[in-house]
Amino acid sequence: MTAPPVFDARGLSKRFHMGQATVEALRGVDLQVSAGEVLVVAGPSGSGKSTLLHLLGTLDEPDAGALTIDGTPASSMGEAERTAFRRIRLGFVFQTFNLLPVLSAQENVELPLWLAGVSSGERRRRAHEALAEVGLGARRGHRPDQLSGGERQRVAIARALVHRPLAVLADEPTGNLDSGTAAEVMELLMSLNRAHGTVFVIATHDAALIARAPRRVALHDGRVASDERKASA
Amino acid sequence: MAFAGLAHAAPTVTPPAAEQRVLLARTNLFSSVPQQFHAMLFVSWSDGLRPLRVEMWRGGRDRMLARVLGPRQAGRFLLQVGAEHYLVAPGARQPVKLGAGVAAAGPVSFEQLLGVDVERDFETERVEAGERMVTFHLVARAGSAVARATPRARWVVDRIRRQPVRLDIVLADGRTSRVVEFASFADPRTLVPAKLILKDVLRGGPPMTVELERFEPMAVPDGLFSLTDGAVRAQLPPAPPAP
Amino acid sequence: MKLALLALRNLARNRRRTAISLAVVATGTAALLLTAGFMAFSFEGLSEAMIHGGLGHLEIALGSASAGRTATLERSPAEGLDDWEVVQRQVEALPGVLAASPTVHVAGMVSTASGTSAAFLGVAGDPARERRMGFSVKLRQGDPVPDAPPREGEDRVMIAQGLAQALGVGPGSRVTLLAVDLEGMLNALDVTVAGLITTGVQELDTRYLRLSLGSAQRLLGTTRVSNLLVTLDRTSRTEEALASVRSVLAGHQPPLAVVPWTERAPFYAQVEALYVGIFWFLGTIVFALVVLATSNTLTMTVMERFRELGTLRALGTSVWQVAGLIGLEAVWLGLIGGVVGDVLGAGLIGLLNAIGITMPPPPGAVDPIELRVVFVPEAFGGAILLMLTVLALAAVAPVLRVARLRIVDALTHT
């Protein structure tokens, strides 16, 4: 018996109303992501990448279609359950890092553990470990405005992984980074995937990033235009 | 018919005819009552306030001395000389002149027995003559001593009996302030009143009844009315007991 | 890491805006403290001035005289106490009672030998007892009325300045008092002006005079008194003393009424109502100002941090935790602003009292007054509580806004 996919999306559709106009952001997307996969969702602006990530991350609900995450239908979860689910099972990385400016790197990384009710000693230890893993053990006392863009994104990645989630959803994680730093970040994500088996779903239109991804799903006008796996993967 | 009835009821208003001037003179108590007398008055109120007995002396047309009989009132007199009223009290060395308002509110004055001098102090403005009652509308003469307290008055007389019936004291603004009703007379010839009823229309309060208990025409010593020397008053026999 | 600590750190982000908000809250708090302190000073001053100015703490009068006319300062001895000396002994034996002093009120005309006259309102009392009770007669010229009962012909009075001026008399002048005695008859009494006084109230000064009990009783032909005024060692004992005096006099015939000073001085209640009204008015303005200013700050805070709040929600923070964060920021503003306001208020009160500002006489009064602001301990705590309430109210709109936040919109908010 094979394990169920981490994400199992069937016919996901999402519409937005912008004034009089209706924008079909997703038009029946089918997607299965298995445990340990690294998946890049590619496509031009407005192709529906971010919308798909929002739906997979339970930040929004589809208008049509069904989504099952780790065997649990997302539609069966209420607001509180979705919040709890995100807290425990998911991690997020954003283009603009979205760190809390009043907290140090260490405190930012501790945040998911604090939300999960982990004791302070345990929190400190695990956050320290996570920061060391992303190469920022020495800068854990710094606040975000004292860190470079790449360092900030590393903190964000540490924050996304510190509570050992099932999957991390990253929306344009290298969008605000120079190409050198972007490559480092991508390398980091890959190595973390190898180390922990965490699923990464990365929305990007960064060609370098796409080229390195083991699996590439291209979206066009809200539909899956192609779904390719690297032969070596 | 209605016109005839109205015409019949309406009194005729005219300036005083000779006959009416005679009627006014005949009913002027200031002239007809003896110029000097000693009297005892019984003053009571309809709502049961404690009645008073007042002893009064008249010494000429405008001089009056009165005292309220009672143990606590010993040595106190009300003195009227001309239009002025005074209080004589053992605690005050000199008679204390009373303002018009205080005098009017005081319990004893000439008004209570004789009304006002309708001939000397007033002019007749007009006369309303009914079948039996004649009303003289009076205005105080300019400069008259009574002008302030009594600027106007109505003197109502019975022309058949040739007796006063009522005196209304009227203020300058036309409001009636007090009413003196002459209920009966002790002597129809001199018109010494036997019973009067006084009503304070303006301030309200129970009507005051004044009854003449004793009346003796007699020579009254001048010294009783002195403003400077109380010796003669001091020699008066002690007041008879209060009622 | 605590939510409260996070809220506090958030406040430190925009220091200028937070400082302005704190200044608004602190100024509002200090304004309330100063107002409360000034009101307390006014009430205290007014009540003591009234009690020692002639009201006493309690009045004992005939029940029939008191019924329906509690709030009067003039009571005719026509309905007075005959056996007042017996009552006086009973009451003065009670604990806390400084003295029970008899009073006779008499109204009439006062005239001079030259014929000038004016209406007067006379109050007669027991000078020695009144001194013991702390009643102050403000003598401006001449001598007080002697303590000993006057002999016949030696009656003396103290006339208020305004009345003396109207009559053209001074110390040593002879005047005659005219009044209606208890039988309704006029009586007169020659008296010598011993001294000139002031009641402190202009209107009253034009007709007020004081005389000895014996003189007033002689003028009115009575041995009665209008009432007994009872003064206590402390104003706070009024209720207790009221009960004990009432129980001592319970069986008295005819029945006696014991009236506390507050009931006799409707003026006091009116002033109190006026001040409380002003306080509420001012409080409402401060309340509204602080709500508006801080509500704006908190709304700005939410608007500027949409993306951050969205991130918190994405990471699994519950909607109420995020709303609570904003609420806690409001609470911090209220608490810190309130404490700073308390310190500021205390400083200002100390400063004002140290400077010693003299204020012009209040309307109708004669003497200027020295401004003093009282420390009202409960106002210090109350002001902080009030500010917390104000801020909680100010946080309602921003918190609701957070509660309605769509995570996706917040994350894409620029």
Side-chain angles (χ1 to χ4, degrees):
Chain A
M1 196 177 102
T2 54
V6 173
F7 293 104
D8 187 1
R10 309 266 170 183
L12 286 186
S13 292
K14 183 73 185 173
R15 261 179 248 108
F16 293 110
H17 301 280
M18 302 178 82
Q20 296 290 331
T22 301
V23 177
E24 300 257 6
L26 291 181
R27 309 178 193 221
V29 169
D30 292 325
L31 184 71
Q32 284 76 44
V33 183
S34 305
E37 266 196 299
V38 174
L39 170 75
V40 159
V41 181
S45 289
S47 59
K49 302 188 297 288
S50 293
T51 304
L52 179 62
L53 247 65
H54 291 157
L55 295 183
L56 296 180
T58 73
L59 300 176
D60 208 353
E61 290 168 86
D63 294 319
L67 171 67
T68 306
I69 307 173
D70 198 26
T72 309
S75 60
S76 70
M77 293 189 268
E79 169 66 33
E81 283 170 290
R82 281 206 304 276
T83 302
F85 187 83
R86 285 196 301 273
R87 188 160 63 221
I88 296 161
R89 310 303 302 274
L90 298 178
F92 290 87
V93 177
F94 304 95
Q95 179 177 356
T96 48
F97 326 130
N98 294 16
L99 299 175
L100 296 197
V102 294
L103 301 184
S104 66
Q106 165 95 18
E107 287 166 334
N108 264 293
V109 176
E110 279 186 37
L111 190 63
L113 299 175
W114 174 64
L115 290 173
V118 175
S119 70
S120 67
E122 175 73 1
R123 272 200 321 257
R124 262 197 300 280
R125 189 184 63 73
R126 283 169 63 180
H128 197 173
E129 264 176 32
L131 278 168
E133 209 167 2
V134 298
L136 282 176
R139 295 179 68 76
R140 62 178 186 274
H142 291 63
R143 288 208 180 177
D145 58 358
Q146 297 165 321
L147 300 173
S148 71
E151 287 172 330
R152 283 185 219 179
Q153 198 59 301
R154 283 164 189 268
V155 174
I157 292 165
R159 178 178 70 182
L161 282 161
V162 71
H163 56 300
R164 298 277 176 266
L166 189 64
V168 170
L169 300 159
D171 192 0
E172 302 280 6
T174 58
N176 275 2
L177 303 175
D178 60 67
S179 55
T181 314
E184 282 172 32
V185 165
M186 188 59 195
E187 190 51 50
L188 176 63
L189 294 180
M190 299 302 291
S191 70
L192 290 170
N193 168 257
R194 284 192 295 273
H196 304 298
T198 311
V199 169
F200 281 88
V201 180
I202 304 161
T204 185
H205 55 260
D206 181 337
L209 206 62
I210 296 166
R212 294 194 46 134
R215 182 181 172 194
R216 296 179 294 248
V217 173
L219 286 187
H220 191 76
D221 281 344
R223 289 194 177 88
V224 176
S226 66
D227 186 347
E228 302 167 11
R229 283 184 172 81
K230 264 190 181 173
S232 60
Chain B
M1 286 292 285
F3 279 106
L6 271 177
H8 182 72
T12 43
V13 178
T14 52
E19 179 205 345
Q20 287 163 341
R21 275 201 289 275
V22 171
L23 185 62
L24 187 66
R26 169 71 183 91
T27 56
N28 186 3
L29 303 182
F30 269 74
S31 312
S32 63
V33 168
Q35 299 291 302
Q36 301 211 9
F37 64 73
H38 169 244
M40 269 311 178
L41 311 179
F42 182 74
V43 180
S44 58
W45 285 267
S46 63
D47 72 348
L49 282 176
R50 207 150 47 128
L52 303 174
R53 194 156 271 139
V54 176
E55 191 171 14
M56 185 190 260
W57 292 265
R58 187 187 192 191
R61 196 167 174 117
D62 290 322
R63 293 197 304 180
M64 189 274 289
L65 180 75
R67 66 174 169 184
V68 176
L69 307 184
R72 289 179 190 277
Q73 302 299 322
R76 273 192 249 173
F77 295 92
L78 279 150
L79 178 59
Q80 188 174 344
V81 177
E84 303 292 357
H85 294 75
Y86 299 86
L87 173 72
V88 177
R93 284 175 213 170
Q94 299 294 321
V96 184
K97 194 163 149 183
L98 304 176
V102 179
V108 184
S109 82
F110 257 149
E111 212 179 71
Q112 290 171 353
L113 201 59
L114 306 178
V116 291
D117 191 336
V118 294
E119 282 179 294
R120 189 193 57 189
D121 295 336
F122 292 87
E123 271 177 305
T124 305
E125 193 180 49
R126 59 195 171 90
V127 181
E128 274 179 64
E131 268 186 21
R132 181 163 179 178
M133 299 301 168
V134 179
T135 303
F136 292 88
H137 291 263
L138 308 174
V139 181
R141 285 182 203 280
S144 140
V146 299
R148 241 182 60 202
T150 313
R152 289 173 167 275
R154 284 188 295 269
W155 184 247
V156 184
V157 302
D158 181 332
R159 89 159 125 212
I160 312 278
R161 288 191 174 170
R162 302 174 77 78
Q163 286 175 353
V165 174
R166 203 179 82 226
L167 164 70
D168 299 343
I169 309 280
V170 181
L171 299 178
D173 62 10
R175 284 181 301 163
T176 303
S177 71
R178 278 165 291 144
V179 171
V180 183
E181 287 174 14
F182 299 94
S184 62
F185 292 89
D187 178 352
R189 190 177 51 83
T190 57
L191 291 183
V192 172
K195 183 176 173 183
L196 303 89
I197 297 161
L198 287 90
K199 294 174 185 163
D200 194 329
V201 181
L202 216 55
R203 297 176 209 225
M208 182 170 105
T209 303
V210 180
E211 288 162 282
L212 190 74
E213 288 191 327
R214 223 162 84 197
F215 186 83
E216 318 167 284
M218 60 176 275
V220 177
D222 265 359
L224 276 187
F225 307 98
S226 171
L227 290 172
T228 50
D229 182 3
V232 180
R233 285 190 292 268
Q235 284 165 20
L236 283 172
Chain C
M1 191 159 44
K2 295 263 166 27
L3 208 56
L5 193 64
L6 185 58
L8 191 60
R9 287 201 203 168
N10 278 332
L11 279 185
R13 282 159 74 166
N14 192 330
R15 283 165 203 266
R16 206 170 92 92
R17 191 164 63 205
T18 302
I20 291 172
S21 297
L22 286 178
V24 169
V25 176
T27 310
T29 307
L32 290 179
L33 290 180
L34 285 177
T35 311
F38 178 68
M39 273 173 53
F41 159 68
S42 302
F43 287 155
E44 199 182 289
L46 185 63
S47 59
E48 291 308 309
M50 292 179 98
I51 290 163
H52 295 291
L55 269 189
H57 288 103
L58 304 172
E59 182 205 27
I60 301 170
L62 274 199
S64 55
S66 165
R69 284 206 75 202
T70 332
T72 182
L73 303 181
E74 297 163 38
R75 230 187 256 302
S76 165
E79 271 193 288
L81 307 166
D82 282 316
D83 61 342
W84 58 271
E85 283 160 306
V86 178
V87 175
Q88 185 180 48
R89 274 195 298 277
Q90 283 177 302
V91 172
E92 287 188 342
L94 292 172
V97 172
L98 286 183
S101 187
T103 318
V104 172
H105 294 129
V106 50
M109 300 291 292
V110 50
S111 57
T112 64
S114 63
T116 316
S117 65
F120 78 85
L121 179 67
V123 177
D126 175 340
R129 274 199 167 74
E130 289 184 356
R131 271 200 302 279
R132 208 191 314 157
M133 290 159 67
F135 280 20
S136 49
V137 172
K138 291 178 191 151
L139 189 69
R140 289 295 157 92
Q141 209 185 323
D143 301 312
V145 168
D147 288 3
R151 282 190 301 214
E152 230 166 287
E154 292 178 4
D155 300 279
R156 298 168 79 78
V157 294
M158 290 184 284
I159 294 194
Q161 285 172 315
L163 181 57
Q165 205 172 13
L167 294 169
V169 298
S173 303
R174 298 279 290 175
V175 293
T176 304
L177 305 181
L178 196 67
V180 176
D181 70 14
L182 297 197
E183 292 182 338
M185 299 300 138
L186 280 172
N187 195 12
L189 187 70
D190 286 341
V191 296
T192 304
V193 177
L196 302 188
I197 54 173
T198 178
T199 59
V201 181
Q202 263 170 357
E203 283 71 22
L204 196 52
D205 268 5
T206 59
R207 57 194 198 103
Y208 187 78
L209 62 82
R210 284 196 69 96
L211 62 170
S212 63
L213 206 61
S215 303
Q217 289 177 328
R218 195 171 292 148
L219 180 59
L220 297 175
T222 185
T223 53
R224 282 182 189 169
V225 297
S226 300
N227 57 14
L228 283 170
L229 294 180
V230 182
T231 298
L232 311 169
D233 53 2
R234 283 195 312 276
T235 302
S236 56
R237 285 185 90 156
T238 306
E239 284 303 315
E240 175 200 337
L242 180 66
S244 60
V245 173
R246 274 182 181 157
S247 80
V248 162
L249 302 179
H252 191 274
Q253 281 305 326
L256 298 178
V258 187
V259 187
W261 68 273
T262 42
E263 282 180 35
R264 293 182 65 213
F267 175 65
Y268 180 80
Q270 284 164 8
V271 170
E272 195 173 27
L274 176 76
Y275 270 70
V276 169
I278 291 173
F279 185 76
W280 276 109
F281 178 69
L282 196 94
T284 308
I285 291 177
V286 169
F287 198 91
L289 276 178
V290 175
V291 166
L292 285 176
T294 54
S295 176
N296 184 47
T297 302
L298 293 170
T299 304
M300 295 275 285
T301 299
V302 170
M303 304 273 284
E304 284 175 359
R305 290 184 4 226
F306 262 162
R307 188 190 290 262
E308 187 180 311
L309 298 172
T311 305
L312 280 171
R313 291 282 288 117
L315 297 185
T317 313
S318 75
V319 70
W320 294 116
Q321 277 175 306
V322 177
L325 179 68
I326 302 300
L328 279 170
E329 287 179 28
V331 166
W332 276 121
L333 274 183
L335 191 64
I336 299 171
V339 170
V340 171
D342 272 3
V343 173
L344 180 69
L348 283 175
I349 291 173
L351 185 71
L352 283 175
N353 290 342
I355 293 173
I357 297 172
T358 305
M359 307 237 294
V366 176
D367 296 321
I369 54 168
E370 173 134 346
L371 174 73
R372 219 166 51 73
V373 186
V374 177
F375 277 94
V376 186
E378 50 273 39
F380 281 76
I384 292 181
L385 279 181
L386 180 76
M387 285 306 154
L388 286 176
T389 312
V390 170
L391 267 295
L393 200 65
V396 168
V399 161
L400 285 178
R401 193 155 186 156
V402 168
R404 284 198 300 263
L405 196 70
R406 286 191 69 235
I407 302 171
V408 172
D409 292 342
L411 285 173
T412 52
H413 192 269
T414 44

